[in-house]
Amino acid sequence: MVDAISMTLIKVNESGELPISSIPSPAVEPPKRPEWGDFSCNVAMTLASKVKQSPLKVAEILATTLLTQFPELFKQVDVAPPGFLNFTLHPICWIDVLRTIERHGSSYGTSQIGKGSSILLEFVSANPTGPLHVGHGRGAALGQAMASLLTASGYAVSREFYINDAGRQLQLLGRSVYARYREFLGKDSTFPEDGYHGDYIKELAESFAHSHGETLLEQPPDEAVAVAAQAASQILLDRIEEDLALFGVKFETWFSETTLHSKGLVQKTLDELRERDLAKEEDGALWFRSSEFGDDKDRVVKKQDGSYTYLAADMAYHRDKLDRGFDTLVNIWGADHHGYIPRMTATVQAFGHEKESLRVVLVQMVSLSRGTQKIEMSKRSGEFVTLREVVEEVGSDAAKFFFLMRRADTHLDFDLELAKQQSSDNPVYYVQYAHARLASVFRVAQERGVPLPTIEDVDASLLLGADELGLIKTLAQYPFILEGSALALEPHRVTFYLQELAAQLHAYYNKHRVLPAAENAVKSEDRPQEDGATTNGKASTVGHESTNTQLTPDVTAARLALLRQVQTVLRNGLTLLGISAPEKM
RNA sequence: GCGCCCGUAGCUCAGUUGGAUAGAGCAUCGGCCUUCUAAGCCGGUGGCCACUGGUUCAAGUCCAGUCGGGCGCACCA
């Protein structure tokens, strides 16, 4: 398609009809309205000013040349103001799409645009100081879908969870648990000012009292707190891993912040900064000259008291990621961390990498509701809805779909009532139902001894009606949706596509019968079909004079073959998002 | 004060990286099952794309400014 246009451009240039100094690469896209054909191209308008002719004139020249050059491909090439070229292919060309889907099956839609380039995808990375909440769930669903999407597009993806198991938060956890532990044993205790208030802290403390008895009381508080912190974070981390597994999210690596310190990598990172003359001593602290790379100001990495800042550890972490040889680092962060991006891109550049090698996807907050009733959440009081609770209530399919329904950088309203509803209002069921419905048709077909044909077995000319072609064209888009979605790191595009395809399928299903009625075999009729494709010479069974299509065995076979491909694409898309494609509902 | 994100139908949001007459779903009103799953379909109602200016053949999309909402601005993590 694009090649045809490029060749034509070269031809008209050589023949002198249009003197083009440089041949542009034409942009071809499906037009907004079906009446405008199968593809449209704007190259005439971009060229018009260069060749000093009106866009319409340029388009005319290209259109006639294209049509005479490629008669077997184009049925029609139209020119529309202000200078669009609209192409209509011979309908029969579209049948190739179905053959492609049938041939590739579950791999239909995958590509190699990533060319094997390696990506480290870091997401969730919740502190092991409490259970995962819904916000983490959104990040988890997004990361998981993104990983599948990128893998399907030819990238080598590795998923990683960064464990913040060093520093103040963990100490606070230890002090919280220790305080509850003393409380439980009837000793006096002072709960830390901004400690963790959730009930899970009490549970941890109690189980701690059972396993350790009163032994911790005999230790100095500092040591006891450290022991409590260690034990509690390990348990909480295990639960996080469990919750994620339950949600269908897995990581190749769990990277512990502590190992950065124990291996001396933080100090090494700062040493390297000095070597590169990107560090400075000031006010008794060590600073990273991040402003050299566009940050607002320089940042402290080693405090006056000699301890490292969080940034220092994070710099060491990102340096380590790059040292492991990844081409691109993708981080999924909560939107409240956006101010951190300049620091991190500065880090990447400080160690000699392009700033494009770090891509940060920001995820906005999730607010929960039941119908119109909002559910208040406050982390301070420890009253927030956990991911596990949501998954148990609405199921992991619905949870994932809802998390992936919106662009990452917009607020998400998650309606628990809606997610549980089994109706067309619920987009998850809507898409899954389309898949199950088709499965049911195939089941009934087999029960009645109707064979399930392949595309090669059927009379393809029976699939050239407007509704059939509409479905086929949507199926043809799928690989492009995946590609765009992967490049932009936007899985929500796949969710929207699936809803569109499902809608089209449901409409088709309601309008056209596939199997003959159970008792009296051939009496069923479709509603009038649009004229057009049926004028194609081969379509002998499609009565040109009659506006109705008889549901002959040939028609049944052709439609079955078409619908199998629809089902394949529905299944591929759902699977990619980590959502099940049920055979029955 | 500075920086980032957002502003599209009554509500929740898409908008193919600058294209033609801006689209869905919800809500609301009215239809469609003796037949392959009604967890479905068909039709009606709804818009100053926050505002102003600029860039060009073309702006919801890019740039500048204004207004409004959210979030950041630590030798915290």
Side-chain angles (χ1 to χ4, degrees), chain A residues 32 303 338 424 430 433 437 440 585:
Chain A
K32 258 183 210 167
K303 304 180 217 169
H338 67 79
S424 61
Y430 187 78
Y433 182 53
R437 229 179 182 183
S440 172
M585 286 174 76

PDB file of all heavy atoms in Angstrom, chain A residues 32 303 338 424 430 433 437 440 585, chain B residues 3 19-20 37-41 76:
ATOM      1  N   LYS A  32     -12.021   8.153   8.767  1.00  0.00           N
ATOM      2  CA  LYS A  32     -13.009   8.169   9.834  1.00  0.00           C
ATOM      3  C   LYS A  32     -14.328   7.561   9.401  1.00  0.00           C
ATOM      4  O   LYS A  32     -15.029   6.956  10.193  1.00  0.00           O
ATOM      5  CB  LYS A  32     -13.251   9.618  10.255  1.00  0.00           C
ATOM      6  CG  LYS A  32     -12.549   9.987  11.547  1.00  0.00           C
ATOM      7  CD  LYS A  32     -12.895  11.399  11.931  1.00  0.00           C
ATOM      8  CE  LYS A  32     -11.755  12.018  12.702  1.00  0.00           C
ATOM      9  NZ  LYS A  32     -11.920  13.465  12.834  1.00  0.00           N
ATOM     10  N   LYS A 303      24.295  13.299  53.365  1.00  0.00           N
ATOM     11  CA  LYS A 303      23.959  14.363  54.300  1.00  0.00           C
ATOM     12  C   LYS A 303      25.151  14.751  55.164  1.00  0.00           C
ATOM     13  O   LYS A 303      26.163  14.067  55.197  1.00  0.00           O
ATOM     14  CB  LYS A 303      22.812  13.898  55.205  1.00  0.00           C
ATOM     15  CG  LYS A 303      21.573  13.460  54.467  1.00  0.00           C
ATOM     16  CD  LYS A 303      20.516  13.021  55.466  1.00  0.00           C
ATOM     17  CE  LYS A 303      19.738  11.829  54.915  1.00  0.00           C
ATOM     18  NZ  LYS A 303      18.892  11.213  55.930  1.00  0.00           N
ATOM     19  N   HIS A 338       5.968  12.696  40.433  1.00  0.00           N
ATOM     20  CA  HIS A 338       6.393  13.269  39.154  1.00  0.00           C
ATOM     21  C   HIS A 338       7.575  14.220  39.295  1.00  0.00           C
ATOM     22  O   HIS A 338       8.389  14.332  38.391  1.00  0.00           O
ATOM     23  CB  HIS A 338       5.211  13.969  38.466  1.00  0.00           C
ATOM     24  CG  HIS A 338       4.728  15.177  39.187  1.00  0.00           C
ATOM     25  ND1 HIS A 338       5.360  16.381  39.103  1.00  0.00           N
ATOM     26  CD2 HIS A 338       3.696  15.355  40.043  1.00  0.00           C
ATOM     27  CE1 HIS A 338       4.720  17.258  39.861  1.00  0.00           C
ATOM     28  NE2 HIS A 338       3.711  16.661  40.445  1.00  0.00           N
ATOM     29  N   SER A 424     -24.714  -5.570  30.216  1.00  0.00           N
ATOM     30  CA  SER A 424     -23.979  -4.886  29.158  1.00  0.00           C
ATOM     31  C   SER A 424     -23.390  -3.572  29.659  1.00  0.00           C
ATOM     32  O   SER A 424     -22.546  -2.978  29.018  1.00  0.00           O
ATOM     33  CB  SER A 424     -24.905  -4.609  27.981  1.00  0.00           C
ATOM     34  OG  SER A 424     -25.965  -3.778  28.399  1.00  0.00           O
ATOM     35  N   TYR A 430     -19.199  -7.530  28.869  1.00  0.00           N
ATOM     36  CA  TYR A 430     -19.587  -7.261  27.484  1.00  0.00           C
ATOM     37  C   TYR A 430     -18.608  -7.918  26.512  1.00  0.00           C
ATOM     38  O   TYR A 430     -19.015  -8.565  25.549  1.00  0.00           O
ATOM     39  CB  TYR A 430     -19.626  -5.745  27.274  1.00  0.00           C
ATOM     40  CG  TYR A 430     -20.165  -5.308  25.950  1.00  0.00           C
ATOM     41  CD1 TYR A 430     -21.532  -5.293  25.708  1.00  0.00           C
ATOM     42  CD2 TYR A 430     -19.304  -4.913  24.930  1.00  0.00           C
ATOM     43  CE1 TYR A 430     -22.027  -4.886  24.493  1.00  0.00           C
ATOM     44  CE2 TYR A 430     -19.794  -4.501  23.711  1.00  0.00           C
ATOM     45  CZ  TYR A 430     -21.160  -4.487  23.495  1.00  0.00           C
ATOM     46  OH  TYR A 430     -21.650  -4.091  22.286  1.00  0.00           O
ATOM     47  N   TYR A 433     -18.475 -11.787  27.090  1.00  0.00           N
ATOM     48  CA  TYR A 433     -19.717 -12.384  26.587  1.00  0.00           C
ATOM     49  C   TYR A 433     -19.643 -12.591  25.076  1.00  0.00           C
ATOM     50  O   TYR A 433     -20.143 -13.597  24.555  1.00  0.00           O
ATOM     51  CB  TYR A 433     -20.902 -11.491  26.958  1.00  0.00           C
ATOM     52  CG  TYR A 433     -22.249 -12.017  26.532  1.00  0.00           C
ATOM     53  CD1 TYR A 433     -22.660 -13.300  26.864  1.00  0.00           C
ATOM     54  CD2 TYR A 433     -23.117 -11.211  25.806  1.00  0.00           C
ATOM     55  CE1 TYR A 433     -23.900 -13.767  26.479  1.00  0.00           C
ATOM     56  CE2 TYR A 433     -24.362 -11.670  25.417  1.00  0.00           C
ATOM     57  CZ  TYR A 433     -24.749 -12.956  25.749  1.00  0.00           C
ATOM     58  OH  TYR A 433     -25.971 -13.406  25.372  1.00  0.00           O
ATOM     59  N   ARG A 437     -20.249 -16.172  23.610  1.00  0.00           N
ATOM     60  CA  ARG A 437     -21.346 -16.325  22.671  1.00  0.00           C
ATOM     61  C   ARG A 437     -20.898 -17.086  21.430  1.00  0.00           C
ATOM     62  O   ARG A 437     -21.590 -17.980  20.937  1.00  0.00           O
ATOM     63  CB  ARG A 437     -21.827 -14.937  22.250  1.00  0.00           C
ATOM     64  CG  ARG A 437     -23.299 -14.756  22.342  1.00  0.00           C
ATOM     65  CD  ARG A 437     -23.680 -13.365  21.931  1.00  0.00           C
ATOM     66  NE  ARG A 437     -25.112 -13.205  22.084  1.00  0.00           N
ATOM     67  CZ  ARG A 437     -25.775 -12.108  21.751  1.00  0.00           C
ATOM     68  NH1 ARG A 437     -25.111 -11.070  21.267  1.00  0.00           N
ATOM     69  NH2 ARG A 437     -27.066 -12.039  21.893  1.00  0.00           N
ATOM     70  N   SER A 440     -20.331 -20.616  22.106  1.00  0.00           N
ATOM     71  CA  SER A 440     -21.600 -21.318  22.162  1.00  0.00           C
ATOM     72  C   SER A 440     -22.104 -21.686  20.759  1.00  0.00           C
ATOM     73  O   SER A 440     -22.602 -22.786  20.535  1.00  0.00           O
ATOM     74  CB  SER A 440     -22.616 -20.442  22.886  1.00  0.00           C
ATOM     75  OG  SER A 440     -23.890 -21.007  22.802  1.00  0.00           O
ATOM     76  N   MET A 585     -20.663 -18.622  29.804  1.00  0.00           N
ATOM     77  CA  MET A 585     -20.942 -17.656  30.863  1.00  0.00           C
ATOM     78  C   MET A 585     -22.361 -17.861  31.378  1.00  0.00           C
ATOM     79  O   MET A 585     -23.226 -18.297  30.651  1.00  0.00           O
ATOM     80  CB  MET A 585     -20.792 -16.238  30.344  1.00  0.00           C
ATOM     81  CG  MET A 585     -19.342 -15.842  30.142  1.00  0.00           C
ATOM     82  SD  MET A 585     -19.159 -14.242  29.379  1.00  0.00           S
ATOM     83  CE  MET A 585     -19.512 -13.147  30.731  1.00  0.00           C
TER      84      MET A 585
ATOM     85  P     G B   3       7.507  27.949  35.916  1.00  0.00           P
ATOM     86  OP1   G B   3       8.162  28.229  34.626  1.00  0.00           O
ATOM     87  OP2   G B   3       6.127  28.414  36.158  1.00  0.00           O
ATOM     88  O5'   G B   3       7.556  26.377  36.178  1.00  0.00           O
ATOM     89  C5'   G B   3       8.760  25.653  35.991  1.00  0.00           C
ATOM     90  C4'   G B   3       8.602  24.226  36.441  1.00  0.00           C
ATOM     91  O4'   G B   3       8.228  24.200  37.847  1.00  0.00           O
ATOM     92  C3'   G B   3       7.481  23.444  35.771  1.00  0.00           C
ATOM     93  O3'   G B   3       7.857  22.960  34.498  1.00  0.00           O
ATOM     94  C2'   G B   3       7.228  22.330  36.778  1.00  0.00           C
ATOM     95  O2'   G B   3       8.227  21.334  36.683  1.00  0.00           O
ATOM     96  C1'   G B   3       7.404  23.075  38.105  1.00  0.00           C
ATOM     97  N9    G B   3       6.121  23.543  38.655  1.00  0.00           N
ATOM     98  C8    G B   3       5.653  24.834  38.676  1.00  0.00           C
ATOM     99  N7    G B   3       4.471  24.933  39.249  1.00  0.00           N
ATOM    100  C5    G B   3       4.157  23.638  39.619  1.00  0.00           C
ATOM    101  C6    G B   3       3.006  23.124  40.273  1.00  0.00           C
ATOM    102  O6    G B   3       2.006  23.729  40.673  1.00  0.00           O
ATOM    103  N1    G B   3       3.099  21.737  40.441  1.00  0.00           N
ATOM    104  C2    G B   3       4.148  20.961  40.041  1.00  0.00           C
ATOM    105  N2    G B   3       4.049  19.654  40.293  1.00  0.00           N
ATOM    106  N3    G B   3       5.224  21.427  39.434  1.00  0.00           N
ATOM    107  C4    G B   3       5.162  22.764  39.258  1.00  0.00           C
ATOM    108  P     G B  19      -4.289  14.351  12.833  1.00  0.00           P
ATOM    109  OP1   G B  19      -4.295  13.978  14.243  1.00  0.00           O
ATOM    110  OP2   G B  19      -4.147  13.293  11.801  1.00  0.00           O
ATOM    111  O5'   G B  19      -5.598  15.180  12.531  1.00  0.00           O
ATOM    112  C5'   G B  19      -6.701  14.504  11.983  1.00  0.00           C
ATOM    113  C4'   G B  19      -7.338  15.364  10.915  1.00  0.00           C
ATOM    114  O4'   G B  19      -6.328  16.059  10.133  1.00  0.00           O
ATOM    115  C3'   G B  19      -8.157  14.560   9.920  1.00  0.00           C
ATOM    116  O3'   G B  19      -9.267  15.358   9.536  1.00  0.00           O
ATOM    117  C2'   G B  19      -7.190  14.402   8.747  1.00  0.00           C
ATOM    118  O2'   G B  19      -7.863  14.190   7.536  1.00  0.00           O
ATOM    119  C1'   G B  19      -6.494  15.748   8.772  1.00  0.00           C
ATOM    120  N9    G B  19      -5.184  15.795   8.140  1.00  0.00           N
ATOM    121  C8    G B  19      -4.095  14.994   8.386  1.00  0.00           C
ATOM    122  N7    G B  19      -3.037  15.341   7.699  1.00  0.00           N
ATOM    123  C5    G B  19      -3.452  16.438   6.957  1.00  0.00           C
ATOM    124  C6    G B  19      -2.751  17.241   6.036  1.00  0.00           C
ATOM    125  O6    G B  19      -1.562  17.155   5.689  1.00  0.00           O
ATOM    126  N1    G B  19      -3.541  18.242   5.512  1.00  0.00           N
ATOM    127  C2    G B  19      -4.851  18.441   5.829  1.00  0.00           C
ATOM    128  N2    G B  19      -5.463  19.453   5.237  1.00  0.00           N
ATOM    129  N3    G B  19      -5.536  17.707   6.686  1.00  0.00           N
ATOM    130  C4    G B  19      -4.776  16.729   7.215  1.00  0.00           C
ATOM    131  P     A B  20     -10.578  15.331  10.539  1.00  0.00           P
ATOM    132  OP1   A B  20     -10.343  16.328  11.592  1.00  0.00           O
ATOM    133  OP2   A B  20     -11.012  13.968  10.855  1.00  0.00           O
ATOM    134  O5'   A B  20     -11.605  15.957   9.503  1.00  0.00           O
ATOM    135  C5'   A B  20     -11.442  17.277   8.995  1.00  0.00           C
ATOM    136  C4'   A B  20     -12.189  17.383   7.686  1.00  0.00           C
ATOM    137  O4'   A B  20     -11.529  16.553   6.704  1.00  0.00           O
ATOM    138  C3'   A B  20     -13.637  16.900   7.750  1.00  0.00           C
ATOM    139  O3'   A B  20     -14.431  17.702   6.886  1.00  0.00           O
ATOM    140  C2'   A B  20     -13.560  15.479   7.198  1.00  0.00           C
ATOM    141  O2'   A B  20     -14.748  15.048   6.581  1.00  0.00           O
ATOM    142  C1'   A B  20     -12.455  15.626   6.166  1.00  0.00           C
ATOM    143  N9    A B  20     -11.737  14.369   5.917  1.00  0.00           N
ATOM    144  C8    A B  20     -10.924  13.694   6.778  1.00  0.00           C
ATOM    145  N7    A B  20     -10.396  12.602   6.272  1.00  0.00           N
ATOM    146  C5    A B  20     -10.914  12.556   4.991  1.00  0.00           C
ATOM    147  C6    A B  20     -10.741  11.647   3.942  1.00  0.00           C
ATOM    148  N6    A B  20      -9.968  10.563   4.029  1.00  0.00           N
ATOM    149  N1    A B  20     -11.392  11.884   2.798  1.00  0.00           N
ATOM    150  C2    A B  20     -12.159  12.967   2.717  1.00  0.00           C
ATOM    151  N3    A B  20     -12.395  13.907   3.628  1.00  0.00           N
ATOM    152  C4    A B  20     -11.736  13.638   4.763  1.00  0.00           C
ATOM    153  P     U B  37     -26.564 -20.720  21.736  1.00  0.00           P
ATOM    154  OP1   U B  37     -25.254 -20.534  21.124  1.00  0.00           O
ATOM    155  OP2   U B  37     -26.717 -21.570  22.942  1.00  0.00           O
ATOM    156  O5'   U B  37     -27.146 -19.262  22.082  1.00  0.00           O
ATOM    157  C5'   U B  37     -28.406 -19.097  22.666  1.00  0.00           C
ATOM    158  C4'   U B  37     -28.309 -18.097  23.794  1.00  0.00           C
ATOM    159  O4'   U B  37     -27.268 -18.519  24.727  1.00  0.00           O
ATOM    160  C3'   U B  37     -27.950 -16.678  23.373  1.00  0.00           C
ATOM    161  O3'   U B  37     -28.807 -15.768  24.077  1.00  0.00           O
ATOM    162  C2'   U B  37     -26.503 -16.521  23.860  1.00  0.00           C
ATOM    163  O2'   U B  37     -26.192 -15.186  24.219  1.00  0.00           O
ATOM    164  C1'   U B  37     -26.510 -17.391  25.092  1.00  0.00           C
ATOM    165  N1    U B  37     -25.186 -17.845  25.512  1.00  0.00           N
ATOM    166  C2    U B  37     -24.724 -17.375  26.720  1.00  0.00           C
ATOM    167  O2    U B  37     -25.372 -16.611  27.431  1.00  0.00           O
ATOM    168  N3    U B  37     -23.470 -17.825  27.076  1.00  0.00           N
ATOM    169  C4    U B  37     -22.682 -18.672  26.362  1.00  0.00           C
ATOM    170  O4    U B  37     -21.584 -18.993  26.809  1.00  0.00           O
ATOM    171  C5    U B  37     -23.228 -19.112  25.108  1.00  0.00           C
ATOM    172  C6    U B  37     -24.430 -18.689  24.735  1.00  0.00           C
ATOM    173  P     A B  38     -29.537 -14.593  23.271  1.00  0.00           P
ATOM    174  OP1   A B  38     -30.817 -15.140  22.804  1.00  0.00           O
ATOM    175  OP2   A B  38     -28.607 -14.007  22.292  1.00  0.00           O
ATOM    176  O5'   A B  38     -29.877 -13.480  24.358  1.00  0.00           O
ATOM    177  C5'   A B  38     -28.849 -12.672  24.892  1.00  0.00           C
ATOM    178  C4'   A B  38     -29.438 -11.764  25.937  1.00  0.00           C
ATOM    179  O4'   A B  38     -30.300 -10.796  25.278  1.00  0.00           O
ATOM    180  C3'   A B  38     -30.297 -12.496  26.946  1.00  0.00           C
ATOM    181  O3'   A B  38     -30.142 -11.886  28.223  1.00  0.00           O
ATOM    182  C2'   A B  38     -31.717 -12.245  26.445  1.00  0.00           C
ATOM    183  O2'   A B  38     -32.687 -12.247  27.470  1.00  0.00           O
ATOM    184  C1'   A B  38     -31.575 -10.837  25.844  1.00  0.00           C
ATOM    185  N9    A B  38     -32.560 -10.605  24.802  1.00  0.00           N
ATOM    186  C8    A B  38     -32.597 -11.122  23.533  1.00  0.00           C
ATOM    187  N7    A B  38     -33.630 -10.725  22.832  1.00  0.00           N
ATOM    188  C5    A B  38     -34.312  -9.888  23.694  1.00  0.00           C
ATOM    189  C6    A B  38     -35.500  -9.153  23.553  1.00  0.00           C
ATOM    190  N6    A B  38     -36.228  -9.145  22.441  1.00  0.00           N
ATOM    191  N1    A B  38     -35.913  -8.426  24.608  1.00  0.00           N
ATOM    192  C2    A B  38     -35.188  -8.442  25.726  1.00  0.00           C
ATOM    193  N3    A B  38     -34.049  -9.089  25.980  1.00  0.00           N
ATOM    194  C4    A B  38     -33.666  -9.795  24.914  1.00  0.00           C
ATOM    195  P     A B  39     -29.182 -12.551  29.279  1.00  0.00           P
ATOM    196  OP1   A B  39     -28.705 -13.815  28.701  1.00  0.00           O
ATOM    197  OP2   A B  39     -29.859 -12.527  30.585  1.00  0.00           O
ATOM    198  O5'   A B  39     -27.962 -11.535  29.322  1.00  0.00           O
ATOM    199  C5'   A B  39     -28.145 -10.210  29.777  1.00  0.00           C
ATOM    200  C4'   A B  39     -26.801  -9.589  30.013  1.00  0.00           C
ATOM    201  O4'   A B  39     -26.068 -10.426  30.946  1.00  0.00           O
ATOM    202  C3'   A B  39     -25.940  -9.492  28.755  1.00  0.00           C
ATOM    203  O3'   A B  39     -25.101  -8.352  28.838  1.00  0.00           O
ATOM    204  C2'   A B  39     -25.085 -10.749  28.825  1.00  0.00           C
ATOM    205  O2'   A B  39     -23.852 -10.630  28.175  1.00  0.00           O
ATOM    206  C1'   A B  39     -24.876 -10.891  30.331  1.00  0.00           C
ATOM    207  N9    A B  39     -24.646 -12.273  30.763  1.00  0.00           N
ATOM    208  C8    A B  39     -25.229 -13.415  30.333  1.00  0.00           C
ATOM    209  N7    A B  39     -24.792 -14.489  30.921  1.00  0.00           N
ATOM    210  C5    A B  39     -23.854 -14.013  31.804  1.00  0.00           C
ATOM    211  C6    A B  39     -23.016 -14.643  32.724  1.00  0.00           C
ATOM    212  N6    A B  39     -23.012 -15.951  32.926  1.00  0.00           N
ATOM    213  N1    A B  39     -22.185 -13.875  33.436  1.00  0.00           N
ATOM    214  C2    A B  39     -22.199 -12.554  33.246  1.00  0.00           C
ATOM    215  N3    A B  39     -22.938 -11.842  32.407  1.00  0.00           N
ATOM    216  C4    A B  39     -23.744 -12.636  31.720  1.00  0.00           C
ATOM    217  P     G B  40     -25.517  -7.054  28.063  1.00  0.00           P
ATOM    218  OP1   G B  40     -24.327  -6.167  27.982  1.00  0.00           O
ATOM    219  OP2   G B  40     -26.766  -6.551  28.669  1.00  0.00           O
ATOM    220  O5'   G B  40     -25.852  -7.564  26.602  1.00  0.00           O
ATOM    221  C5'   G B  40     -24.811  -7.946  25.716  1.00  0.00           C
ATOM    222  C4'   G B  40     -25.396  -8.349  24.390  1.00  0.00           C
ATOM    223  O4'   G B  40     -26.523  -9.238  24.619  1.00  0.00           O
ATOM    224  C3'   G B  40     -25.993  -7.214  23.575  1.00  0.00           C
ATOM    225  O3'   G B  40     -25.005  -6.504  22.848  1.00  0.00           O
ATOM    226  C2'   G B  40     -26.959  -7.970  22.672  1.00  0.00           C
ATOM    227  O2'   G B  40     -26.260  -8.680  21.665  1.00  0.00           O
ATOM    228  C1'   G B  40     -27.541  -8.976  23.667  1.00  0.00           C
ATOM    229  N9    G B  40     -28.687  -8.388  24.358  1.00  0.00           N
ATOM    230  C8    G B  40     -28.777  -8.053  25.683  1.00  0.00           C
ATOM    231  N7    G B  40     -29.930  -7.522  26.004  1.00  0.00           N
ATOM    232  C5    G B  40     -30.639  -7.496  24.810  1.00  0.00           C
ATOM    233  C6    G B  40     -31.940  -7.026  24.534  1.00  0.00           C
ATOM    234  O6    G B  40     -32.764  -6.528  25.303  1.00  0.00           O
ATOM    235  N1    G B  40     -32.264  -7.190  23.192  1.00  0.00           N
ATOM    236  C2    G B  40     -31.440  -7.726  22.247  1.00  0.00           C
ATOM    237  N2    G B  40     -31.930  -7.798  21.018  1.00  0.00           N
ATOM    238  N3    G B  40     -30.215  -8.171  22.495  1.00  0.00           N
ATOM    239  C4    G B  40     -29.888  -8.023  23.787  1.00  0.00           C
ATOM    240  P     C B  41     -25.210  -4.960  22.535  1.00  0.00           P
ATOM    241  OP1   C B  41     -23.963  -4.436  21.970  1.00  0.00           O
ATOM    242  OP2   C B  41     -25.845  -4.282  23.670  1.00  0.00           O
ATOM    243  O5'   C B  41     -26.296  -5.039  21.364  1.00  0.00           O
ATOM    244  C5'   C B  41     -25.952  -5.614  20.123  1.00  0.00           C
ATOM    245  C4'   C B  41     -27.155  -5.645  19.235  1.00  0.00           C
ATOM    246  O4'   C B  41     -28.266  -6.251  19.956  1.00  0.00           O
ATOM    247  C3'   C B  41     -27.695  -4.280  18.824  1.00  0.00           C
ATOM    248  O3'   C B  41     -26.989  -3.756  17.716  1.00  0.00           O
ATOM    249  C2'   C B  41     -29.143  -4.591  18.501  1.00  0.00           C
ATOM    250  O2'   C B  41     -29.265  -5.207  17.235  1.00  0.00           O
ATOM    251  C1'   C B  41     -29.477  -5.628  19.574  1.00  0.00           C
ATOM    252  N1    C B  41     -30.090  -5.013  20.765  1.00  0.00           N
ATOM    253  C2    C B  41     -31.432  -4.605  20.693  1.00  0.00           C
ATOM    254  O2    C B  41     -32.046  -4.751  19.640  1.00  0.00           O
ATOM    255  N3    C B  41     -32.011  -4.046  21.782  1.00  0.00           N
ATOM    256  C4    C B  41     -31.309  -3.904  22.908  1.00  0.00           C
ATOM    257  N4    C B  41     -31.921  -3.352  23.953  1.00  0.00           N
ATOM    258  C5    C B  41     -29.946  -4.309  23.002  1.00  0.00           C
ATOM    259  C6    C B  41     -29.381  -4.854  21.923  1.00  0.00           C
ATOM    260  P     C B  76      17.260  14.590  55.583  1.00  0.00           P
ATOM    261  OP1   C B  76      16.459  15.478  56.502  1.00  0.00           O
ATOM    262  OP2   C B  76      18.200  13.681  56.162  1.00  0.00           O
ATOM    263  O5'   C B  76      16.303  13.690  54.662  1.00  0.00           O
ATOM    264  C5'   C B  76      15.011  14.047  54.283  1.00  0.00           C
ATOM    265  C4'   C B  76      14.023  13.045  54.832  1.00  0.00           C
ATOM    266  O4'   C B  76      12.694  13.551  54.595  1.00  0.00           O
ATOM    267  C3'   C B  76      14.049  11.679  54.170  1.00  0.00           C
ATOM    268  O3'   C B  76      15.045  10.825  54.732  1.00  0.00           O
ATOM    269  C2'   C B  76      12.642  11.187  54.429  1.00  0.00           C
ATOM    270  O2'   C B  76      12.520  10.693  55.752  1.00  0.00           O
ATOM    271  C1'   C B  76      11.832  12.486  54.326  1.00  0.00           C
ATOM    272  N1    C B  76      11.247  12.708  52.983  1.00  0.00           N
ATOM    273  C2    C B  76       9.927  12.297  52.783  1.00  0.00           C
ATOM    274  O2    C B  76       9.318  11.773  53.720  1.00  0.00           O
ATOM    275  N3    C B  76       9.343  12.485  51.569  1.00  0.00           N
ATOM    276  C4    C B  76      10.035  13.052  50.595  1.00  0.00           C
ATOM    277  N4    C B  76       9.424  13.219  49.434  1.00  0.00           N
ATOM    278  C5    C B  76      11.391  13.476  50.773  1.00  0.00           C
ATOM    279  C6    C B  76      11.953  13.268  51.959  1.00  0.00           C
TER     280        C B  76
END
